[in-house]
Amino acid sequence: MFIKITDWESNEMTRKMPIIITGGAQRIGLACAKALTADGYDVVVTYRHTKTSIVELEKLGVRCLRADFSSQLGIDEFIKQIHQDYSGVRALIHNASEWGAEAESADLAQLMERMWQIHVFAPYRINLAFEALLCNGFEHQGKADIIHMTDYVAEKGSDKHIAYASSKAGLANLTCSFAKRFAPEVNVNSIAPSLLMFNPEDNAEYRQKALNKSLLHQEPGEKEGVLAVQYILTNRYMTGRTLSLDGGRHLV
């Protein structure tokens, strides 16, 4: 299901070359949308479920599109909408994600399919569909980027989130392949966070256990994700690489 939220004039949208953030209504995606808007970029975010943050983003001038990347139809409708409204894209940030666990799933085959659909198939289809738009962004603005938001678990795996971890590893691999395909017009990189911020329902025992997994023992907050995105958007000599935001977990 895809619903266009804002009713802009078509000729105005065609002039703009936005940064598109999938899953931009909460957490890191939301923080990035606000920060990049403040930096002067035109920002488009997608969201799956209605949230109060959507109203906040629209007041800031962010275009909010409802899109469900768990189905091919949802992906196709999103692609069609962007092609209809824009002549180029400055950057594409694949942040849409779902945290699925085997213990919470009655249908493991469906779980694996859904994780790969959201984290691998959707970015794969969207990247290929927007190749010309990204190259047009490069031609007119001198820079175009794709950023894949992966996960620290892509490196180590997870015994409790096997399907999720494998799909994030697949997304990490897409970074290398698309970096080769799109060079030199489009830089393609990944950001792999571990713990950046807790959820409100996380109890004290869980929080302390999670903090102890890294050398730095801290909850850095969403700002570290924002800084990583801003760095990639300004850097001109990095592609096919991953920025790891894990507080030194790999050394523990």
Side-chain angles (χ1 to χ4, degrees):
M1 184 65 179
F2 183 95
I3 303 173
K4 185 166 74 170
I5 300 301
T6 54
D7 186 19
W8 292 5
E9 292 295 327
S10 178
N11 61 345
E12 179 184 355
M13 288 188 291
T14 301
R15 291 198 303 268
K16 298 177 182 294
M17 295 190 182
I19 292 177
I20 299 172
I21 306 173
T22 67
Q26 61 183 359
R27 297 174 67 82
I28 295 176
L30 176 61
C32 286
K34 292 179 180 178
L36 296 178
T37 299
D39 288 342
Y41 292 105
D42 295 303
V43 177
V44 174
V45 304
T46 73
Y47 68 98
R48 185 167 41 178
H49 303 296
T50 302
K51 299 178 182 294
T52 57
S53 58
I54 297 302
V55 176
E56 181 183 5
L57 288 174
E58 288 180 334
K59 289 181 179 179
L60 294 175
V62 176
R63 188 183 185 199
C64 300
L65 298 175
R66 186 170 183 176
D68 186 353
F69 297 141
S70 66
S71 72
Q72 183 171 332
L73 178 61
I75 297 169
D76 289 343
E77 290 182 339
F78 168 70
I79 290 171
K80 180 180 178 181
Q81 186 72 64
I82 296 300
H83 273 290
Q84 175 182 309
D85 294 340
Y86 298 100
S87 61
V89 170
R90 166 61 183 84
L92 180 56
I93 303 174
H94 289 287
N95 177 69
S97 186
E98 185 170 317
W99 180 244
E102 276 69 23
E104 300 169 359
S105 178
D107 188 333
L108 297 181
Q110 184 181 63
L111 172 66
M112 179 64 83
E113 182 178 346
R114 186 175 181 85
M115 292 297 96
W116 278 76
Q117 172 74 23
I118 295 171
H119 301 141
V120 180
F121 183 71
Y124 171 76
R125 284 275 290 111
I126 293 169
N127 287 351
L128 290 174
F130 291 172
E131 181 171 3
L133 294 179
L134 287 159
C135 289
N136 201 25
F138 170 81
E139 290 294 329
H140 286 80
Q141 302 188 29
K143 183 119 166 53
D145 290 278
I146 294 174
I147 300 175
H148 295 146
M149 300 299 293
T150 61
D151 194 298
Y152 171 74
V153 298
E155 180 181 331
K156 289 192 64 176
S158 171
D159 58 346
K160 296 179 180 178
H161 299 85
I162 299 170
Y164 171 84
S166 70
S167 66
K168 286 293 188 176
L171 179 58
N173 186 263
L174 287 185
T175 301
C176 300
S177 298
F178 278 111
K180 290 181 178 181
R181 179 182 177 98
F182 289 163
E185 288 85 1
V186 184
N187 293 346
V188 185
N189 294 286
S190 293
I191 297 172
S194 57
L195 167 70
L196 291 186
M197 66 195 84
F198 290 111
N199 292 304
E201 64 271 18
D202 295 334
N203 60 40
E205 181 181 359
Y206 171 82
R207 292 180 185 228
Q208 190 57 56
K209 182 179 178 180
L211 292 174
N212 290 339
K213 290 181 179 181
S214 74
L215 290 179
L216 300 183
H217 300 294
Q218 59 181 276
E219 177 193 6
E222 58 199 17
K223 64 181 180 181
E224 295 301 328
V226 172
L227 289 172
V229 167
Q230 290 172 324
Y231 171 73
I232 290 176
L233 292 177
T234 55
N235 184 282
R236 292 180 175 269
Y237 198 57
M238 181 175 70
T239 194
R241 289 297 188 179
T242 297
L243 292 182
S244 298
L245 305 180
D246 57 28
R249 277 199 184 199
H250 63 298
L251 298 175
V252 175

